[in-house]
Amino acid sequence: MKILVVGANGQIGRHLVQSIQNSGEHVARAMVRKEEQVSHFKELGAETAVVDLEGEIEEIAKAADGVDAVVFTAGSGPKTGKDKTIMVDLDGAVKTIEATKKAGVKRFVIISSYDTTREAIQNAGESMAPYVVAKHYADEWLRGAGLDYTMIHPGLLTNDAGTGKVDVGPSVKADNVAREDIANVIFESLKNDATIGKEFKVINGQTPIQEALGNL
Amino acid sequence: MKILVVGANGQIGRHLVQSIQNSGEHVARAMVRKEEQVSHFKELGAETAVVDLEGEIEEIAKAADGVDAVVFTAGSGPKTGKDKTIMVDLDGAVKTIEATKKAGVKRFVIISSYDTTREAIQNAGESMAPYVVAKHYADEWLRGAGLDYTMIHPGLLTNDAGTGKVDVGPSVKADNVAREDIANVIFESLKNDATIGKEFKVINGQTPIQEALGNL
């Protein structure tokens, strides 16, 4: 499998490319924004593509050419303004979905946030609500896009080492989860077609990732 | 006809409520955010509803109860941050659309911006792009909502007195247009069912509004 990782230079993205390359069997194509981010991924043996998510759909579609799956794990991050929340978390995600269709690729995994429902928007504080809204509409777009998608809603992301064990489900209780484990949930989801059309939350837990996804 | 005007206290909204009340035949229900905005509309003989667009769909649906049409002419305006662009121009519009459906109302008019296409997003400068993105997704939501909608794309809005004459069409050249004329384009659209399902640009021009809409 060749997998385009959009947002490869993010923390989850870096773990994911590493896992894909470690497999020996699959290949990552790391999509990054800046030329200077490329070398890290080349050293891992991954393919690379330098594309700005604020650019045109056509550029993203070129990066998706010939891959078997696309993973969207980009995010504007908490340090940028709400303008980037709109441009990256919402519009960047939608453009990646449209680019995936344009490239003729069917399989898509999105890293959403923990809860993007209407209720979550209403319950979010004033500073978080715009982010939840952006993710809400990106998720809605994906649901209607006709792709073979999997939507992953991680708990509170930490930089702890992954344990390889998680709890997954439509309504697990909010808790921490290591970015490294999320990366492996993505990778295992791509290898398990039973996750197509599924949306689930992921937190640290007791069940090995493969088995947890098998129980969905 | 009873018409819920969402964003009644905006400059277009005030003109619109005035026109509706002046007709003697139709009635406006002015939806405003603050209690102190109510008296202006009561003096015009309009009904009023105090609802925050950042609140729940249910509250907006209550305001839409029993009306024949809903007009969305709210906007966060250029003075607020991009957080309000997301919360009002995008999510406020979508919530109003959903509230309209919930209230069993079919007729909907939205004041979009001049150009909300993908090309317009790409061509917008960095400071305007988030606004265009927000309006883009609000428009997309409306197209898929199953309502009897009219989508009005005004040129550069001015506070000049209305002339009662406009140019309308899918691709008129960008030019100024008086807010007062846009208010009357909304009102005339509501009275002309041939505008249902139509999306058009409006600029100052030479053709009386009724006639211009009739030529669409």
Side-chain angles (χ1 to χ4, degrees):
Chain A
M1 210 167 17
K2 186 170 288 185
I3 303 154
L4 178 69
V5 180
V6 176
N9 201 52
Q11 298 184 79
I12 291 173
R14 281 180 164 234
H15 282 299
L16 177 58
V17 173
Q18 180 88 63
S19 292
I20 295 169
Q21 294 306 118
N22 285 351
S23 73
E25 191 183 342
H26 305 283
V27 179
R29 183 179 293 165
M31 190 173 119
V32 295
R33 191 158 52 97
K34 297 177 186 164
E35 198 61 51
E36 62 257 38
Q37 295 164 341
V38 161
S39 62
H40 170 80
F41 299 100
K42 286 212 164 136
E43 280 161 28
L44 293 173
E47 297 182 9
T48 57
V50 180
V51 178
D52 185 350
L53 266 178
E54 294 185 55
E56 303 202 1
I57 290 172
E58 195 52 60
E59 296 300 310
I60 308 170
K62 273 185 213 160
D65 186 48
V67 304
D68 302 291
V70 173
V71 174
F72 185 86
T73 181
S76 63
K79 286 174 195 158
T80 59
K82 294 297 187 275
D83 53 337
K84 296 300 178 195
T85 304
I86 301 181
M87 299 311 291
V88 176
D89 300 289
L90 170 53
D91 202 40
V94 170
K95 286 193 287 189
T96 302
I97 293 163
E98 292 304 303
T100 300
K101 289 160 64 177
K102 208 161 202 165
V105 179
K106 287 296 283 180
R107 190 74 174 100
F108 196 96
V109 175
I110 196 165
I111 305 306
S112 181
S113 60
Y114 180 71
D115 191 344
T116 61
T117 58
R118 174 56 58 193
E119 292 66 37
I121 295 171
Q122 295 308 136
N123 295 333
E126 194 164 7
S127 83
M128 275 303 285
Y131 174 72
V132 182
V133 170
K135 299 295 280 184
H136 172 82
Y137 288 103
D139 288 355
E140 280 286 311
W141 196 276
L142 180 56
R143 290 183 186 111
L147 295 175
D148 292 341
Y149 76 90
T150 302
M151 190 179 294
I152 299 172
H153 298 282
L156 189 64
L157 295 161
T158 73
N159 290 328
D160 296 345
T163 63
K165 294 180 178 175
V166 293
D167 281 350
V168 305
S171 56
V172 294
K173 225 176 133 187
D175 203 345
N176 289 348
V177 64
R179 289 185 170 87
E180 189 177 352
D181 283 328
I182 291 296
N184 285 314
V185 169
I186 297 169
F187 192 28
E188 293 301 329
S189 293
L190 286 169
K191 293 189 273 181
N192 180 351
D193 280 353
T195 63
I196 291 174
K198 295 265 170 51
E199 310 184 9
F200 51 87
K201 294 186 165 87
V202 186
I203 57 170
N204 282 336
Q206 300 304 321
T207 315
I209 289 171
Q210 270 192 9
E211 187 186 332
L213 294 177
N215 293 340
L216 271 172
Chain B
M1 210 168 17
K2 185 171 286 187
I3 303 155
L4 178 68
V5 180
V6 176
N9 202 51
Q11 297 184 77
I12 292 172
R14 282 181 164 232
H15 282 299
L16 177 57
V17 173
Q18 179 88 63
S19 292
I20 295 169
Q21 294 307 117
N22 284 353
S23 74
E25 192 182 342
H26 305 283
V27 179
R29 183 179 293 164
M31 189 173 121
V32 295
R33 190 158 53 98
K34 297 177 187 163
E35 198 62 50
E36 62 257 39
Q37 295 164 339
V38 160
S39 61
H40 169 80
F41 298 100
K42 286 212 163 135
E43 280 161 27
L44 294 172
E47 297 182 9
T48 59
V50 179
V51 178
D52 186 350
L53 267 179
E54 294 186 54
E56 303 203 359
I57 290 171
E58 197 50 60
E59 295 302 308
I60 308 171
K62 271 186 214 159
D65 185 49
V67 303
D68 302 290
V70 173
V71 174
F72 185 85
T73 182
S76 63
K79 287 175 195 157
T80 59
K82 294 297 187 276
D83 53 337
K84 296 300 178 196
T85 303
I86 301 181
M87 300 310 292
V88 176
D89 300 288
L90 170 52
D91 202 40
V94 169
K95 286 193 287 188
T96 303
I97 292 164
E98 292 305 302
T100 300
K101 288 160 64 177
K102 208 161 203 165
V105 180
K106 287 296 282 179
R107 190 73 175 101
F108 197 95
V109 176
I110 195 166
I111 303 307
S112 180
S113 60
Y114 180 69
D115 191 344
T116 60
T117 59
R118 173 57 58 192
E119 291 68 37
I121 296 170
Q122 294 308 136
N123 295 333
E126 194 164 4
S127 82
M128 274 303 285
Y131 173 72
V132 182
V133 169
K135 298 295 279 183
H136 172 82
Y137 288 103
D139 288 354
E140 280 288 310
W141 196 277
L142 180 56
R143 290 184 186 110
L147 295 175
D148 292 341
Y149 75 91
T150 301
M151 190 179 294
I152 298 172
H153 298 282
L156 189 65
L157 295 162
T158 73
N159 289 329
D160 297 343
T163 63
K165 294 180 178 176
V166 293
D167 282 349
V168 306
S171 56
V172 294
K173 226 176 132 188
D175 204 345
N176 288 348
V177 64
R179 288 184 170 87
E180 188 177 353
D181 283 328
I182 291 296
N184 285 313
V185 168
I186 297 169
F187 192 29
E188 292 302 327
S189 293
L190 287 168
K191 292 188 273 180
N192 180 352
D193 281 353
T195 64
I196 291 175
K198 295 265 169 54
E199 309 185 8
F200 51 86
K201 295 186 164 87
V202 186
I203 57 170
N204 282 337
Q206 299 305 321
T207 314
I209 289 172
Q210 271 192 10
E211 187 186 332
L213 295 177
N215 293 339
L216 271 172

